[in-house]
Amino acid sequence: MKILIKNVRIFDPASGIDEEGDVFIKNGIVSKKKEETRNIIEGKGLYLFPAFIDIHTHIREPGGEDIENFESASKAAVAGGYSTIFMMPNTEPPIDNDGMVRFVVKRARDVGLVKIYPVGAATIGRRGERLTDMRAMIECGCIGFSDDGSPVKNPRILRRILEYLKGTGIKFIEHPEDTELSSDGSMNEGSLSNKLGVPGIPWVSEASVVIRDILIAEYLSSPIHFAHISTEASLDLIQFGRKRGVKITFEVTPHHLLLDEDNVKITDSNFKMNPPLRSKRDRKALIKALKKGFVNAIATDHAPHPLYKKELEFSLAPFGVIGLETAFSTLYTEFVRKGVIGLNELIEYMSVKPAGIFDLKTGMVRDGAPADFVLIDLKKKWKITEDKFHSLSRNSPFLGWDVYGRVVYTIVDGKVVYKEGD
């Protein structure tokens, strides 16, 4: 298939390109040499970016197909401008064996909209007791390993995981939470949780696991990746580890960058997530780290839940919010348009840097590269409402927000997989 995208603003941080021009695609690859084709996309007024990469997505299939399945998650991803998502392993049953990895790869191929890479469970059943057969799972297509949703509590087991993965090029992704400290908490522990009478989750529950893992990784000379970092203390500890030569990468989420505990509505569990929305000081520290280039990636931690569960009282409702369809627009509106960070930095955090962490051959617009692009109308204003979502779930903390930046086309491997309004 051949596609010519004409008169588009090409914006590629990896190649240093910011210019108006044409992009020609042949057989899924960018080509400098243009050929005749009737497949023409008029890009006047649109920006063309490397398509986004989400390294932290929860799909509920198997076990929760009515909450989010491969098809609905794929539609949500491409509507948000993503060409690639990493599927976390906390399904029912979990992705803890090579058969489950093959299932994920096949289902993703059957749907055929977005690249879905399985993240395998590091321990059987995600129970933190016995290692999975990681070699067999890697051979079947695992991009990484994690017990996400649960930390690896036993440091001896963590050591074995890091030792096994050392030298494979495959990373362990830690969910940094001491569940003994977070216990029955529902929101950030502090004066507000005390005032509301809601059990809290202290910052130390995250930071204590971060420092433990850093020291074990240093001892083994192994790399480690931390999911959804949310506290100033964790950032300080990561800086400490990097100064000691530990290869640490980590992600932050749009909701932790854009919201804090003061936004929590005790009557609305769409503001309940794990880790919880933290203090203003923590949020400011995350933004500062983003501005300094200290952060490695922005990941959505897209965690769908059905309405009947999210309508439970705050303490009983499940943790998690969706984010694939709102990540770019909310961050562009609040950060780029307001001068907090540049457009260049936002695209790096959502595409270029995630690709670099996991050695993906994408995240760029250059001759010979895979044609994974998103075309966005940055001037288009829209309101985030439930009827806009392609996800089967509606649990977003950004409902009602007026935002700028609407995805018009998403192209994956040279194929138009999303067109606005179609």
Side-chain angles (χ1 to χ4, degrees), residues 81-132:
Y82 289 90
S83 66
T84 305
I85 58 177
F86 287 14
M87 178 179 174
M88 304 310 287
N90 58 336
T91 50
E92 294 293 339
I95 307 170
D96 64 356
N97 60 75
D98 58 323
M100 282 297 297
V101 176
R102 285 195 294 269
F103 169 79
V104 171
V105 172
K106 182 180 184 303
R107 287 292 291 122
R109 184 172 60 244
D110 289 345
V111 174
L113 288 177
V114 65
K115 300 172 186 177
I116 300 177
Y117 291 100
V119 174
T123 66
I124 295 173
R126 298 174 42 252
R127 291 188 291 269
E129 298 169 355
R130 291 188 297 142
L131 269 61
T132 54

Side-chain angles (χ1 to χ4, degrees), residues 194-330:
N194 291 335
K195 179 181 177 181
L196 295 173
V198 177
I201 299 175
W203 59 262
V204 70
S205 69
E206 176 179 288
S208 59
V209 174
V210 169
I211 188 59
R212 181 203 71 170
D213 287 14
I214 286 173
L215 293 175
I216 293 174
E218 178 183 13
Y219 182 73
L220 299 173
S221 299
S222 295
I224 191 163
H225 180 87
F226 291 109
H228 43 60
I229 289 297
S230 67
T231 70
E232 180 182 36
S234 295
L235 294 172
D236 290 342
L237 294 171
I238 290 169
Q239 184 176 35
F240 162 82
R242 285 178 175 173
K243 285 182 177 178
R244 293 174 68 87
V246 187
K247 296 178 181 178
I248 306 166
T249 53
F250 72 98
E251 68 203 46
V252 296
T253 73
H255 44 275
H256 288 110
L257 290 167
L258 296 167
L259 303 168
D260 56 56
E261 62 183 350
D262 289 342
N263 296 107
V264 173
K265 300 174 183 177
I266 205 65
T267 56
D268 186 352
S269 64
N270 285 338
F271 292 88
K272 182 179 180 181
M273 61 281 289
N274 189 18
L277 296 176
R278 298 292 187 180
S279 69
K280 270 190 169 57
R281 176 169 175 166
D282 288 317
R283 184 165 77 93
K284 288 179 180 178
L286 293 179
I287 294 171
K288 183 179 180 181
L290 200 72
K291 293 169 70 174
K292 289 171 60 179
F294 188 72
V295 176
N296 297 102
I298 295 175
T300 70
D301 195 5
H302 178 85
H305 292 289
L307 182 61
Y308 73 88
K309 287 189 176 182
K310 275 295 191 177
E311 281 188 330
L312 295 171
E313 64 179 88
F314 201 85
S315 61
L316 299 176
F319 292 101
V321 297
I322 60 173
L324 286 171
E325 297 173 74
T326 59
F328 175 81
S329 296
T330 52

